[in-house]
Amino acid sequence: GQAPTDNVEAYDLYLKGRHYFYNATRHFLGLARQMFVQATELDPKFARAYAGIANVDCRKVGWYGELIPEDSILAIADKALSFDPNLAEAHAARADALSFFGHKEEAEATFKKALSLDPDSFDVNALFARFYTRSGEPENAVPLYIRALELQPDDYQSPSMLQLALRGLGQHEEALRYGE
């Protein structure tokens, strides 16, 4: 597809931000957010970078209990969508925020929209899978984790989450296959 921004430096910051985001410690989440914010300063219409900020804020709320208002995260996701209404990652970021603030049905519908817009997005598959894991629906999470791994074989989080989901379904042999 086309580059998400014409600004090479902004894109480089975005890629660094993604790398830090997937390291996922509190420290790296802070760095990821800085990279995404700097990318939006270089290109104020860089939709993917806004989606990245929303993803970071969701994770800070969901994993580390930080007090970030729902409205502020949704506003950032909506800003991404205002620049690119069909950006699957922005819909997924919005869905993630909705899920962390207890709007399960709306979150699921929004994730489904994100997936229909881009079934080959690693971010969408991984975030949607985690949503189903949190919702106690491992049977729905499993195919999404498998797809995420096909899309990004070097992701180290999805295999362990996939193993947990498979074990939760009593599929221990299958779980072992992903533990190699």
Side-chain angles (χ1 to χ4, degrees), residues 139-150:
E139 67 285 359
N140 290 329
V142 164
L144 293 162
Y145 282 127
I146 290 172
R147 186 72 191 116
L149 270 174
E150 289 167 357

Side-chain angles (χ1 to χ4, degrees), residues 81-98:
L81 290 167
S82 74
F83 296 123
D84 187 349
N86 293 318
L87 181 61
E89 288 81 1
H91 288 282
R94 189 171 214 290
D96 214 27
L98 289 166

